Structures are given as structure tokens and as C-alpha cells.
Amino acid sequence: MALGTFASLGLGSGGVLSWDIINQMQEQEVKNRVNPITKKIETNMEKQTELTSLLTLMGSLNTNFKNLSDFSTYQKRSASVEGSGVKATAGEGLAIQDIKINVKQLAQNDVNQVGLKFASRDSVFSTENTTLNFYHNGTNYNIDIKAGMSVAEVGQAITDKTDGAVMGIIMKTGGDNPYQLMIQGKDSGAQNKIYFGSTLESAAMPGGQIKSGTLKIEIGGKDVSIDLSTIGSELGNSAEDNAKAVLQAVTDKINNDANLKDKLQNGDITIGLNSTGKGLLINDSKGGDIKVKVENAKIQAAAGTSEVDTDLGFVKTYAGPSDFDLVKGSTAVKSGNLQGAILINGEKIDLNTISNTTGVDNAQAIADAINNNTNLSGKVSAQVKDGKLVLNSNDGNSIRISAEGTDAEAQKKVLDQVGISAGSYTNSQEFLSKMDITNIQNAQNAKFTYNGIEVERDKNSFDDVVSGLSLELTAITETNKDVIVRVSRDDKGIAEEMEKFVENYNAMYNKITELMKYDKDTKIAGVFNGNNDIRQITRQFNTIISSNDVKGNNLVKYGIYFNDDGTLKMDKEKFNSAFKEDPDAAVAFFRSTTSTIRGEEKEVDGVFTKLRNTMDSLITGSKSTLKVLETSLVDEQKSLNEDKTKTQESINTRYDMMAEKWSAYDQMIAKIQNQQNTVNAMIQSMYSSN
């Protein structure tokens, strides 16, 4: 109660109606009416805290019940390896078996070394403008190399252009010029090989029987001609079948030519299947011309159908230097009057005579001037594409471009009119020769036998040979020695789960004992002493734990015993022995078994399935026994808090009203007292005057 208006209470009555008396009365009523409610709230909170702790312990125990009643727990497998070069991991449910593996080759990524050496990462890679061309996993890439680019910049350009699928890596290999550029694939597998130079890839070949026609391939400067009627294509062939048949015919033909055979063997040329396996891939690593011509080819899709023309999937029939322009204008040629002169391989092209309304006309006039120059004839050709000047070398030599002018700035001004830059431009084929690229690790698939069956994968780690088994190949198998992967039961996890069950059961049992205890000497009781729901928990579990099934099996057989104090203990050695003696019987006892009851087969719950179901009835769902108890405690707490608040407010209101009344009485007493004092003073005065 606040002071203020009633701060002077008791002055008139001489302390009879004092503030202290009201406080004492109010404190006594709070003690009698509010404190018992507070005590109940404290007891309620203690029960909620202890119940939460108990529910947590029971939840952990229920996890053990669920695991030991779950079929997957008994399906765990372990894999051991006899031999070297293979790592194995077995998944749940994999059949127990021995697997023979023989690793023939490991999967590798493609690694290529550029022969040029440099003093530092910042050294100039090339003084010429050129293009590096290569094919990787279905895509042709063209890397523009500008004169003056550093080694590091070229490496980064390769990585950026391919989004990291092919990486340009600078390595310090040693020597006076220790830095070299390595061009390597990120991923392993034959499909990730990097093909430098010219690459021609066909689309998918048609299925059916290739009946007739001729396939002509120009590669390595020589012609290969295949009579398609002799390749052994048959009705019912798939695209893959026909691609393999054509590949074999071309390979046989090349091997009959000593010069081409050498080029095939040393990697100068490659004839193979594309990444889909349905078409051909032809590569000239030196960047030469590849030309394909399909003549009069006929194919019959199925018996009784007509023969139709086919191009064998060769939609594109050329790959080589002519695919790429050597000098490409960066901007369109300007319109109007042009000034100055440009020099092509030292030959002067006078721009002062060129003056057209449009830039396209000016560009064509410059191209005509180049093409009509006698000294450039057969060496350099020019044309106009999208208003830009384009120059190519006809003889394979570099094109040198400059301009007349008193200084570099004046020369640049002249060249800017026609949109090209000064410098030496070397075609990709010539520059490829200067780069001297050597393949130091060939992209290839992993090859191995699995129980004698040939298997191939593009990685050394995989899990798709058989479901549930993960393999990692680390080395080639020794000659005449298979690696043995033994898949066996993993019972260690079951024993560990059983130990956790015993541990968690004892933790729950001890907590319940603490909550239910009563000490006769101290008369101290646990917060749930007398609660029948809590008392019944251990009785329900103990009944199941100590029970026998229809075959007489019980947990004692598997080394699970009750101690004298009601807790459990486990003989791990006895458990392992009993489980290994008959795992199927153990699983049936633990989780469930099928039994014939009144002529019908029914699934009978095992001991841990029964324990799980019992636990679920106690703690799972809003209607479970302990969840109902938890809800009742929360509701009780809410009710007690409301009761306490109302009782306190009632007491406060009562004594506020009492204080008001007492204040009024005190003022009346004071007034009467003052009147009495006045009368007494008058009487005293009268006596004094006499």
C-alpha cells in the first residue's frame, strides 16, 4: 500500500489507529492467504521442470526402442578389403558376399604441357596476335591471344572461356626460365580429353542397315575412302552400332597407310566416337584441314522399308584454319574521306583515294585494293563482314599490319579509320606448332572387372555398379591378383545400441526413483511422490523387459539382467555370442516375427517393438499419459497465478478502504481533541483571573 494521503495516520489518535497496525494486519493476511498459493506455484514449477527432464530421458530411451525395433538397424553392413588399390563402403541391406575386383586402369584427367618457357608469370606469352583452338566435351573453344598478353593472362583466359572445365595453370618447373603453361581438364574420363587443333564432330548416325555409298575423309594431308557396303552394318543396328562399324572401317583403313598409322599412334590425328557414342569425332592436333564427303549413301531402317539417303550425321563437313578469320576488324570502317595509308606485309594501301558515303562501301574499296594488289595476290585475301574489314592468310604465313605516320599516335589514328590494329597476326595452325604442346597425362576412364564382368567409369569413385556398394579405385591391381571385397554383417552397431538402451533405461529409472522417493526420517518426499502415472512407468517396462516370447526367448539370454536395485546391466560378451549364434532369431525376438495364430499368419511384436509402443503411449501425442500430465500442470499453474493475483488485489483493496476509514476516524479524533484543548484552556484562564 502506498503512503501519501495517509502518511499522517495516527497523529490524531495518538498512534491507536496507526499505519503500522494496518501493515501488520495486511502482512498477516498475505501470509495466510497468498503465501500458500505461492508455495503451490513453486511446487507446480518444480513438477514441470522435473517432468520435462523425465520426458527428455524417456525420449532418448525411446530412440533406442525405435532403433532396436527398426529393420534397417539389422541391415547394416561392413566391407573389408583383401589386397590393395580398392576402398569399399557397404550400405544397408547389401547381400553378404565376396566380390572380386581387378583394376586395369584408373580414370585420369587430361594434362598438357606447353613447351614454351618463361622467366616469370608476367612474361609476354606472344608478340603475335593469334587464336588457340581446342575441343572439349562437345564444345569447340577459340581463345583469342593478343600480342603482349602475359603467361598468367593467357592461362586465365583459358579458364574463364571454359568456365573452369579446362584450366590454364602456370607451373614453376625449374631452370633458367622455370615457368610453363599447363592446360588440363578439371574432370577425369575419356570424354574430357582436350583435342587441340582442328576437330570435326558428326551428329548421331541413323539406325538401320547402311547399304551403300562412299565415305571420304581428308586428314593429315591424305585421303581415306570407305566403301560403306563393306562395313558390316545390319538391319536392326542402333546409331551406336553404326557409329562403331564406321569407326572400325576408318581405323582399319588408316592402319593400312603407314604414314597415317604413325600419325594415329603418336596422337597427331584421332578418329573416335563422340561423347554420345552415336557419331564420330575426328581431330588433327596440328590444326590442319579435315574434310568429309559422303557420296550416294543409302540406309534401310527396317526390313520391307525403302532405302533412303543419309549423310551419316555429317551436317558439318569441314574443320580447319579456314573456320576462323585471322584479322577481324574491331569496329566498322568509317564513312566519308579516309586519309593516310596502311601497310599489309609492307605493301601500301592508299586510303586517300577512298571516299564513299557509307562505311560499308569504304570497307569494300579497301578489300578490293588489297585483293587487287599484285604482291599480295595468293598471300592475303580481304573481305567485308558486317561492315568490318576481315583479312586472312592464303599461304599460311603471318599477316603484318602497320600504317604510315610520323609516330605511333599518328599511325594508330590511320588504322582506327579502318577498325584494325597494328601488329603481326599468325594463324592458329602455325602458332600451335610454336606452342609445342605435349600430352603428359591422357584423359581416360577407369577400367576394372567386377566378378569377371568388364566395367568402365569416368571417375575413380562411384556407387552405381550395384546398389548399396561404394567403391574407390586407388591403384592398378597386381598381375594375377584380384582384390577381394568382403561384405559382412555389421553387428557392432547393434551391440552399441543395446548398451545405449541399458544406459538410458538406468538414467530414466534413477530419475523416476528420485521423483517418487519418501524419506521416513526426514519426511522429505519427491515432487511426484504418490503420483500413480509416474509410478506405473517402470512397472510397465519391467513387465515387458522380463517377459518371454512363445519360444522361451528373453533378454537374459542376450545378456541383459536386472540389478538388485532395479537398474539394468549388460554382459556384452554374452550378447555378441548369442546374437552371432542365430542373428535371424535375435532379430525376430527384438523387433517382430511371423507366427501362425488360429490358422492365420500374423506378425507378433518383438520385445523392443512392445517397448516402443508402450513408450509412445506415455510420451507421444497430446493424449499420451505424460503429455496429459504436462498439460494439467500448465493449466494448474495458470489457474494458481490468476488466483494469486485476484487474492492479492482483494487484500490490497480491502486495506486501502480500511486506511481511508481510519484516516477519517483519526481526523475526527484530532478535531475533538482540539476542541477539548480549547475548552481546557478557557477554564484554566478563568481560574487564573480569579
Side-chain angles (χ1 to χ4, degrees), residues 135-140 191 195 198-205 270 272-283 290 292 312-319 323:
Y135 171 95
H136 175 264
N137 204 0
T139 303
N140 278 298
Q191 79 276 11
Y195 295 93
S198 307
T199 303
L200 180 63
E201 180 183 15
S202 75
M205 290 191 181
T270 299
L273 297 177
N274 63 12
S275 58
T276 68
K278 298 179 180 180
L280 295 188
L281 184 145
I282 307 171
N283 171 258
I290 300 174
V292 171
L312 299 181
F314 284 101
V315 179
K316 184 179 179 183
T317 59
Y318 172 82
D323 277 336

Side-chain angles (χ1 to χ4, degrees), residues 601-648:
E601 284 195 350
K602 293 186 178 181
E603 187 169 351
V604 179
D605 290 340
V607 62
F608 287 105
T609 301
K610 292 177 181 177
L611 289 169
R612 181 197 67 202
N613 293 337
T614 300
M615 183 67 84
D616 285 342
S617 70
L618 290 170
I619 68 172
T620 303
S622 60
K623 295 183 179 180
S624 61
T625 302
L626 295 191
K627 287 295 183 181
V628 170
L629 176 59
E630 184 179 47
T631 301
S632 69
L633 288 173
V634 171
D635 292 343
E636 182 187 55
Q637 180 195 19
K638 181 180 178 181
S639 178
L640 288 170
N641 284 331
E642 291 174 352
D643 191 17
K644 179 180 178 180
T645 300
K646 289 179 181 178
T647 302
Q648 185 67 61

Side-chain angles (χ1 to χ4, degrees), residues 366-378:
I366 297 171
D368 291 342
I370 294 172
N371 292 332
N372 293 329
N373 185 292
T374 305
N375 293 328
L376 294 177
S377 178

Side-chain angles (χ1 to χ4, degrees), residues 206-211 231-238 241-242 245 299-302:
Q209 183 178 16
I210 302 173
K211 303 285 288 187
I231 67 172
S233 178
E234 298 178 355
L235 285 172
N237 269 9
S238 64
D241 294 331
N242 282 334
I299 191 165
Q300 185 178 9

Side-chain angles (χ1 to χ4, degrees), residues 560-606:
I560 309 298
Y561 305 90
F562 276 110
N563 290 310
D564 292 339
D565 63 358
T567 59
L568 291 175
K569 63 181 176 180
M570 176 181 176
D571 184 334
K572 191 172 182 180
E573 185 176 341
K574 183 174 182 178
F575 173 84
N576 289 331
S577 176
F579 190 92
K580 289 178 180 179
E581 182 179 342
D582 192 344
D584 293 336
V587 173
F589 172 64
F590 292 154
R591 61 176 309 274
S592 68
T593 186
T594 301
S595 182
T596 302
I597 301 175
R598 296 189 184 95
E600 293 184 17
E601 284 195 350
K602 293 186 178 181
E603 187 169 351
V604 179
D605 290 340

Side-chain angles (χ1 to χ4, degrees), residues 306-474:
S306 301
E307 296 179 10
V308 296
D309 294 333
T310 178
D311 60 6
L312 299 181
F314 284 101
V315 179
K316 184 179 179 183
T317 59
Y318 172 82
S322 299
D323 277 336
F324 310 102
D325 293 318
L326 185 54
V327 181
K328 297 166 284 190
S330 58
T331 59
V333 176
K334 292 184 177 179
S335 60
N337 296 324
L338 301 182
Q339 298 177 346
I342 61 174
L343 301 175
I344 308 296
N345 288 353
E347 292 297 318
K348 179 178 177 180
I349 306 298
D350 191 356
L351 302 180
N352 294 302
T353 61
I354 299 175
S355 177
N356 292 291
T357 303
T358 66
V360 173
D361 289 338
N362 277 347
Q364 190 59 56
I366 297 171
D368 291 342
I370 294 172
N371 292 332
N372 293 329
N373 185 292
T374 305
N375 293 328
L376 294 177
S377 178
K379 298 178 180 178
V380 178
S381 61
Q383 57 183 313
V384 179
K385 293 183 179 179
D386 300 325
K388 299 175 183 178
L389 194 61
V390 173
L391 282 70
N392 283 296
S393 172
N394 294 337
D395 60 4
N397 293 322
S398 300
I399 297 178
R400 303 182 309 280
I401 297 176
S402 61
E404 290 185 342
T406 56
D407 54 34
E409 185 63 30
Q411 295 170 16
K412 183 177 184 300
K413 189 174 181 180
V414 173
L415 289 170
D416 284 347
Q417 296 176 99
V418 297
I420 58 178
S421 301
S424 177
Y425 293 80
T426 301
N427 70 34
S428 58
Q429 184 178 11
E430 182 179 346
F431 192 76
L432 193 61
S433 170
K434 294 180 181 179
M435 290 181 70
D436 187 23
I437 298 176
T438 303
N439 180 257
I440 59 176
Q441 179 171 287
N442 188 45
Q444 63 184 28
N445 289 340
K447 294 182 179 181
F448 61 100
T449 59
Y450 183 98
N451 285 339
I453 300 172
E454 298 285 345
V455 183
E456 195 167 337
R457 290 291 183 272
D458 62 1
K459 296 180 177 64
N460 291 315
S461 296
F462 40 85
D463 58 6
D464 59 352
V465 177
V466 294
S467 178
L469 180 66
S470 297
L471 294 172
E472 181 183 355
L473 311 182
T474 61

